[in-house]
Amino acid sequence: METDEFWHLIEAARSQAGERRTFDQALVELLAARSKREILDYQEQFDELHHALYRWDVWAAAYLIGGGCSDDSFIDFRAGVIAQGRGWYERIALDPDELAEHPLVVTAADAHDDLFYESVNYSARYAFKQLTGGEEDFHQAWEHYRSTRAREQVNADMGEDFDFDDDEQMRHRLPRLAALCLQDRPV
């Protein structure tokens, strides 16, 4: 699946989400209407985009927004960033401090459910299950798919590690986001 097609699918799910169904439900329905191969192609593209956000600065942003962020929560956060659509994904990938302008962060709304969106990680699996009826079918198909692809696994360059509990470092590295999330703490 090409990048543009992937983002078109994400935007279609975003536009179909509303009172009757959530984004992840819309995404699963859209994926389930495709072939098994297309679902696997989607998963491959999702994994590449997800992996590209595996950086310390992005993790620090999640840490500020979530008031902490475990390994599992960071997986969910990256899925949530993808669920926000291409525009937000690209802004955050370029500069995680851009999250200071995200409406959920600005209004101090409960950003946790939308920005730490666990179920988005499993959309391809759920869609595959709808097609095949089997829980293990996706895992078997995914392992076979990956073994036939000539993609090289690249270790993530996470950038420079730093102490997320050091407010001074957070204010230096993510100044706008820290101003919003650490406003109750002395400078």
Side-chain angles (χ1 to χ4, degrees):
M1 178 175 287
E2 296 297 320
T3 304
D4 288 340
E5 184 181 358
F6 175 89
W7 287 118
H8 176 73
L9 188 61
I10 295 295
E11 291 305 326
R14 288 181 57 75
S15 70
Q16 292 180 18
E19 290 181 25
R20 292 189 10 228
R21 63 181 165 182
T22 61
F23 166 80
D24 60 300
Q25 291 168 333
L27 181 57
V28 169
E29 287 177 26
L30 289 168
L31 285 169
R34 292 172 172 255
S35 70
K36 293 177 196 175
R37 173 61 186 239
E38 289 173 308
I39 295 171
L40 296 171
D41 289 343
Y42 163 87
Q43 183 66 50
E44 180 179 49
Q45 186 68 278
F46 177 88
D47 286 352
E48 286 179 17
L49 293 164
H50 196 264
H51 185 71
L53 292 176
Y54 190 68
R55 303 188 333 238
W56 291 116
D57 58 346
V58 177
W59 201 333
Y63 191 90
L64 282 169
I65 293 166
C69 186
S70 67
D71 295 354
D72 287 343
S73 291
F74 187 47
I75 290 169
D76 301 342
F77 179 79
R78 290 179 285 149
V81 169
I82 291 169
Q84 297 305 303
R86 188 177 204 162
W88 275 108
Y89 177 90
E90 290 176 350
R91 286 176 71 178
I92 294 163
L94 188 61
D95 180 8
D97 204 30
E98 287 289 313
L99 278 160
E101 295 180 18
H102 193 286
L104 293 173
V105 177
V106 170
T107 62
D110 185 12
H112 198 274
D113 290 343
D114 289 327
L115 291 177
F116 293 80
Y117 210 151
E118 180 181 11
S119 58
V120 173
N121 289 304
Y122 310 113
S123 296
R125 181 182 314 166
Y126 296 151
F128 212 85
K129 184 178 178 184
Q130 281 187 19
L131 283 179
T132 66
E135 188 73 36
E136 292 301 315
D137 292 339
F138 174 77
H139 299 291
Q140 292 170 353
W142 180 240
E143 288 305 315
H144 181 266
Y145 177 89
R146 286 182 33 190
S147 71
T148 62
R149 305 292 283 178
R151 300 246 177 181
E152 182 181 325
Q153 278 287 8
V154 178
N155 289 333
D157 176 7
M158 291 186 67
E160 183 183 351
D161 187 8
F162 58 96
D163 184 0
F164 298 169
D165 289 318
D166 183 331
D167 290 354
E168 184 178 324
Q169 281 193 43
M170 293 297 258
R171 284 185 174 101
H172 173 73
R173 294 171 186 269
L174 300 164
R176 295 179 296 147
L177 192 55
L180 287 172
C181 297
L182 300 176
Q183 61 188 330
D184 296 334
R185 296 185 186 173
V187 176

